[in-house]
Amino acid sequence: MHDEDQFSSEETERPVRYTRTLLPRQRAELYVLDVDNGDSRLALSSEDQLFEAPNWHPDGRWIVVNADGALYLVDSQAPSDLVAIHTPGLPELNNDHLVSPDGRWHYVSANDGHLYRVPWEGGHSERITTPKAPERRFRHFLHGVSPDGTTLLYVGTEALDKDEWGRRALWSINLMTGEERLIGDGYSPADGPEFSTDGASVFFNSEVASNHPGHAQLFRHDLAEGTVRQLTFDERVNWFPHPSPDGQRLAYLSYPQGTVGHPPDLPVVLRLIDLPDGPPRDLAMLPGGQGTINVPCWAPDSRRIAYVQYPRDDV
């Protein structure tokens, strides 16, 4: 448990290369959804700052988001303004960030293509990943951490010819040894890898079962057996599977049919599957997409989900 005065509101100096901003007459709204009764509570709204990708500290109080290339906190018990986490020297961040299972660390993706570890209270960062051969133009995008906190899951992108995204494969990195491993054959193009609660498998979305660009579906890779199982089979485009901490349910983001990638500002649906193979059901329909639930979004109680929507007054 931490008090707000432990976090600095001081601006972190970093070169700005890319940050999303709100469109005219648009708001960013953080909601906490009770998946049992369907109630959604507005926790924070901003007409000035586009924040994204909420996840929770294991104490169940703090929600972490990114905005303006940096990390911020929201107090879920008494939400007010965003509270900045001071991270001097850390490159500008994208919207992929996690909290370690023991609550001591933030793991983040930066726009320099690398992963970093930052103390929970803020402070100086440590780079986790190593540079690859320059011709590979390799970038790391963080998405999951193992239940024991020893291994991260990320999407490794390698540019091919003029395609800056090129190969988008699933990887793991051992935080103790630095060893990096391809998961299966990488399942490119794939995204959103996240460990199951027991650490035995990896959930992800991929286009490997599609015969045209887009139409991503959800899959589960068994780490011991190396087998893969498809979990969704509908015409919508499904991204970012997030298992609940108790391992009973899987939340994910469903895009309209024909969507390529995971763009912002579309009518999307938050959906839920009762594991292992229950039928999908809708939790909420909202204006969102990119930034809504890019990272693990469940509260520790396995009952609440944090998500962000981006309504516009003129739409």
Side-chain angles (χ1 to χ4, degrees):
M1 186 73 68
H2 297 278
D3 294 324
E4 274 196 16
D5 59 8
Q6 290 182 271
F7 300 93
S8 170
S9 60
E10 180 182 343
E11 290 287 338
T12 301
E13 295 183 1
R14 51 168 61 83
V16 176
R17 286 173 289 179
Y18 167 76
T19 55
R20 284 180 63 204
T21 57
L22 292 169
L23 300 172
R25 303 174 63 86
Q26 188 175 41
R27 301 183 305 280
E29 296 179 341
L30 173 66
Y31 280 86
V32 176
L33 169 67
D34 188 313
V35 299
D36 290 332
N37 61 29
D39 290 343
S40 283
R41 174 177 59 86
L42 180 63
L44 182 68
S45 179
S46 175
E47 297 179 351
D48 303 312
Q49 203 166 20
L50 190 151
F51 51 82
E52 305 175 281
N55 60 15
W56 298 72
H57 188 274
D59 67 9
R61 174 181 175 183
W62 297 101
I63 297 174
V64 186
V65 298
N66 66 279
D68 302 325
L71 293 178
Y72 291 82
L73 294 175
V74 178
D75 187 343
S76 68
Q77 297 179 3
S80 54
D81 293 330
L82 295 175
V83 179
I85 302 174
H86 187 48
T87 55
L90 184 65
E92 179 191 73
L93 305 181
N94 64 25
N95 59 13
D96 298 322
H97 53 86
L98 306 165
V99 180
S100 62
D102 62 9
R104 296 176 55 204
W105 305 98
H106 301 274
Y107 294 111
V108 300
S109 298
N111 281 342
D112 65 357
H114 285 285
L115 308 184
Y116 292 80
R117 174 167 45 204
V118 186
W120 165 250
E121 296 87 355
H124 291 280
S125 59
E126 173 190 2
R127 197 177 74 185
I128 295 169
T129 48
T130 57
K132 310 299 188 288
E135 63 271 16
R136 295 177 68 183
R137 290 182 285 172
F138 196 99
R139 291 182 290 178
H140 309 75
F141 294 91
L142 178 66
H143 278 280
V145 59
S146 62
D148 63 6
T150 65
T151 305
L152 300 181
L153 296 173
Y154 71 86
V155 177
T157 71
E158 300 181 64
L160 299 175
D161 298 324
K162 294 183 179 180
D163 181 359
E164 67 168 318
W165 296 109
R167 178 172 164 81
R168 289 162 280 166
L170 307 180
W171 291 80
S172 67
I173 180 169
N174 185 297
L175 293 170
M176 308 298 291
T177 66
E179 180 183 12
E180 299 181 65
R181 290 186 176 182
L182 191 66
I183 297 173
D185 65 0
Y187 302 110
S188 179
D191 210 325
E194 193 168 329
F195 281 103
S196 59
T197 305
D198 60 7
S201 57
V202 173
F203 294 98
F204 63 98
N205 60 267
S206 175
E207 298 176 22
V208 295
S210 176
N211 58 12
H212 57 84
H215 200 208
Q217 297 295 303
L218 304 186
F219 299 83
R220 183 172 186 163
H221 171 92
D222 186 288
L223 291 168
E225 298 180 0
T227 56
V228 64
R229 178 184 179 191
Q230 187 168 344
L231 302 178
T232 60
F233 299 86
D234 55 81
E235 292 303 313
R236 293 183 64 84
V237 179
N238 301 318
W239 280 71
F240 299 136
H242 301 308
S244 58
D246 63 8
Q248 299 299 305
R249 296 180 279 200
L250 189 75
Y252 65 97
L253 187 65
S254 184
Y255 277 95
Q257 182 177 353
T259 305
V260 176
H262 54 101
D265 303 319
L266 288 177
V268 294
V269 183
L270 285 181
R271 285 186 163 177
L272 191 73
I273 293 174
D274 291 321
L275 294 172
D277 54 7
R281 61 183 175 93
D282 293 350
L283 294 176
M285 291 178 283
L286 55 112
Q290 173 75 313
T292 294
I293 56 164
N294 289 57
V295 296
C297 56
W298 286 91
D301 61 13
S302 294
R303 179 173 178 174
R304 294 170 294 160
I305 289 173
Y307 69 90
V308 184
Q309 68 174 23
Y310 304 96
R312 295 178 64 183
D313 291 339
D314 56 346
V315 175

